[in-house]
Amino acid sequence: MLPTMNASFSVSLNSPQFLAHTSFTSSKLKYDTSRRNLGICKCVSSPPTEQTAYTTRVSRNANMAKLQAGYLFPEIARRRAAHLLKYPDAQVISLGIGDTTEPVPDVITNAMSERASALSTVEGYSGYGAEQGEKKLRSAIASTYYKDLGIDESDIFVSDGAKCDISRLQVLFGSNVKIAVQDPSYPAYVDSSVIMGQTGLYENQRYTNIEYMRCDPQNGFFPDLSLISNADVIFFCSPNNPTGSAATRDQLTQLVQYAKKTGSIIVYDSAYAMYISDDCPRSIFEIDGAKEVAIETSSFSKYAGFTGVRLGWTVVPKELLFSDGFPVAKDFNRIVCTCFNGASNIAQAGGLACLSPEGLKAMQGTISFYKENTQIIMDTFTKLGFDVYGGKNAPYVWVHFSGRSSWDVFAEILEKANVVTTPGSGFGPGGEGFVRVSAFGHRENVLEASRRLSQLYK
């Protein structure tokens, strides 16, 4: 019991206020030391108690209070941990969160190792670098991914990943914009919008003041743009996470033309572009006029296994202007210089190695491995009679369970097959009735998961 002070409150451990900050609904929590690293708590019943705690005079950010429950992937991890607590001997296979599993190729880790070793020498040591990224890496990104597209190294900002840049872009736009997102889509777009104060409250499975652009099998996973009402910023991911669908050239042309007509800015997430195996564009800047209306963000995470290394980039063309004619890139540069000290020099050495001929070949080999996994998963669900989408141009399979709740299906697969998936409703209301299955996994685990799923739904 903490001492009572002037600024204090009493809260029952059974109260809604307390339960809102815990993942369990029992009246007392006891730490389970056998699972210390997972942060799992065991629930032990005991009579309700009163606890008095000191509080500061600082009010909670009201926008944080709007957020619904926890961020999707930590919530999945919590449920997985709870399952393991219930079934400690379960051999759980995770095909949920899109985290890579295969080793980073040697050509890339060798470059990082050399850069790290050089830091131990006077000649090789370097401290703070340019916030925008090292010149050689920016140049290599421009020549590798944007050759002949009118993008040069000065348009590229190297970062610690696309997810981080999404939040920096939200800071750039501020709280007085209205965003549009694909429905379903990667949760970071919506959650960062809520945190920035761009939205209203959560009502009927969606936030007010956000345009949810429905993308489903009926419209080929491309939204009816005529239904968008006054969106300032359009977040668009292709290939899409979670549906795995890639937009065609004609569709992206429609998107760019719409943005030019309405004066909107497109934030184009191309984090899975190297998985495209047909003629769908790999960059929004392949579309005429896109440099005047679009920003593109991408990452090495799913190409080179850099989910833990952390390295990405954002392209802000010099042609992109705010309504008053001020260059967007200049403001983004100020945001980057204020909020970021630049990507790790070791990670950037790895990024440069990724873009060498040997590195590109190695990354393509890793991508091909995951695409083989994708095909195994697609074949499994197709043979079981499900409607299956995605997979061709992305490491995700989007499976429809007609008439069922996404979270119920998630729970069923975890409980009966010991396989973790991702409930589609976690990506927006348009994902209800679907689950996303990730192809990021060791081959033996993907094969075993497919065997279990076949047994469950035969």
Side-chain angles (χ1 to χ4, degrees):
M1 183 78 69
L2 296 174
T4 302
M5 304 182 73
N6 288 337
S8 65
F9 72 100
S10 295
V11 56
S12 166
L13 292 179
N14 273 331
S15 70
Q17 296 97 319
F18 180 80
L19 294 177
H21 296 280
T22 69
S23 300
F24 300 93
T25 57
S26 295
S27 57
K28 187 176 181 182
L29 299 177
K30 179 180 177 183
Y31 194 70
D32 179 1
T33 55
S34 68
R35 296 185 181 271
R36 188 180 307 274
N37 293 331
L38 291 177
I40 299 172
C41 294
K42 279 186 175 179
C43 299
V44 181
S45 179
S46 66
T49 62
E50 292 293 323
Q51 178 173 318
T52 302
Y54 172 80
T55 66
T56 69
R57 62 188 295 272
V58 180
S59 299
R60 185 187 182 199
N61 182 340
N63 296 316
M64 296 299 298
K66 296 178 189 175
L67 292 170
Q68 294 299 299
Y71 189 66
L72 173 62
F73 300 112
E75 173 61 18
I76 290 171
R78 186 193 71 78
R79 295 191 183 209
R80 178 183 187 273
H83 179 76
L84 284 171
L85 189 62
K86 184 178 179 181
Y87 305 105
D89 296 325
Q91 299 299 308
V92 174
I93 296 173
S94 180
L95 300 180
I97 185 171
D99 192 5
T100 51
T101 58
E102 301 311 293
V104 178
D106 287 347
V107 63
I108 300 168
T109 55
N110 288 342
M112 290 192 286
S113 178
E114 289 175 11
R115 184 66 174 269
S117 295
L119 293 174
S120 295
T121 69
V122 172
E123 298 79 14
Y125 177 78
S126 62
Y128 291 127
E131 290 91 346
Q132 303 82 4
E134 296 179 359
K135 182 178 176 63
K136 285 184 179 180
L137 179 56
R138 297 170 79 191
S139 178
I141 291 170
S143 62
T144 301
Y145 294 113
Y146 305 102
K147 185 178 181 181
D148 301 326
L149 298 181
I151 299 296
D152 62 40
E153 65 185 57
S154 64
D155 298 320
I156 293 170
F157 297 80
V158 176
S159 72
D160 51 347
K163 183 178 183 179
C164 302
D165 274 347
I166 288 165
S167 291
R168 292 185 189 110
L169 288 169
Q170 292 283 32
V171 173
L172 170 74
F173 296 129
S175 60
N176 294 323
V177 298
K178 181 179 183 179
I179 74 163
V181 296
Q182 292 158 290
D183 179 26
S185 67
Y186 183 44
Y189 312 139
V190 169
D191 281 14
S192 60
S193 178
V194 176
I195 292 170
M196 278 300 301
Q198 297 169 357
T199 75
L201 298 176
Y202 188 77
E203 300 173 356
N204 300 318
Q205 297 185 313
R206 64 189 65 208
Y207 290 96
T208 58
N209 206 46
I210 288 182
E211 291 285 333
Y212 290 80
M213 305 183 295
R214 180 58 66 94
C215 298
D216 56 29
Q218 286 68 44
N219 61 18
F221 295 100
F222 186 79
D224 183 345
L225 300 175
S226 68
L227 300 178
I228 304 175
S229 175
N230 301 319
D232 301 300
V233 180
I234 302 169
F235 284 90
F236 196 93
C237 180
S238 179
N240 176 263
N241 176 14
T243 68
S245 176
T248 67
R249 190 170 302 276
D250 286 345
Q251 289 171 336
L252 290 183
T253 299
Q254 291 177 45
L255 182 63
V256 168
Q257 290 175 346
Y258 174 85
K260 295 198 80 170
K261 177 182 176 182
T262 61
S264 306
I265 292 178
I266 301 164
V267 176
Y268 188 81
D269 187 340
S270 64
Y272 301 94
M274 283 187 70
Y275 285 81
I276 294 176
S277 56
D278 56 22
D279 59 356
C280 290
R282 289 160 175 76
S283 168
I284 190 68
F285 300 120
E286 294 182 37
I287 308 301
D288 289 342
K291 291 194 293 293
E292 297 173 341
V293 296
I295 294 168
E296 181 166 308
T297 186
S298 196
S299 169
F300 289 100
S301 287
K302 307 305 168 63
Y303 305 160
F306 270 29
T307 51
V309 175
R310 307 307 306 151
L311 193 68
W313 69 90
T314 289
V315 183
V316 188
K318 59 184 68 68
E319 294 87 345
L320 183 64
L321 307 175
F322 286 116
S323 59
D324 63 357
F326 195 83
V328 174
K330 287 190 175 182
D331 274 357
F332 189 63
N333 185 67
R334 180 59 185 269
I335 295 292
V336 168
C337 291
T338 300
C339 302
F340 186 51
N341 271 333
S344 159
N345 45 23
I346 298 171
Q348 290 190 73
L352 196 58
C354 287
L355 302 180
S356 68
E358 297 85 358
L360 287 168
K361 182 178 179 181
M363 287 196 298
Q364 197 56 60
T366 300
I367 290 167
S368 295
F369 174 86
Y370 289 130
K371 293 191 74 170
E372 290 170 2
N373 282 352
T374 306
Q375 192 62 54
I376 292 169
I377 297 166
M378 290 181 67
D379 289 347
T380 297
F381 281 104
T382 299
K383 289 176 182 177
L384 290 169
F386 291 97
D387 291 326
V388 182
Y389 306 94
K392 178 181 178 182
N393 291 321
Y396 300 123
V397 179
W398 190 238
V399 186
H400 189 216
F401 286 77
S402 181
R404 298 198 59 191
S405 156
S406 295
W407 278 107
D408 286 349
V409 174
F410 166 87
E412 177 178 78
I413 293 175
L414 178 59
E415 182 78 15
K416 297 182 179 179
N418 290 313
V419 174
V420 176
T421 57
T422 306
S425 58
F427 298 97
E432 184 59 270
F434 291 83
V435 295
R436 189 196 75 175
V437 187
S438 168
F440 294 119
H442 301 308
R443 181 61 49 80
E444 61 270 22
N445 286 346
V446 171
L447 290 169
E448 173 61 18
S450 295
R451 186 195 67 78
R452 295 180 192 177
L453 290 164
S454 297
Q455 182 68 25
L456 177 60
Y457 292 115
K458 65 180 179 180

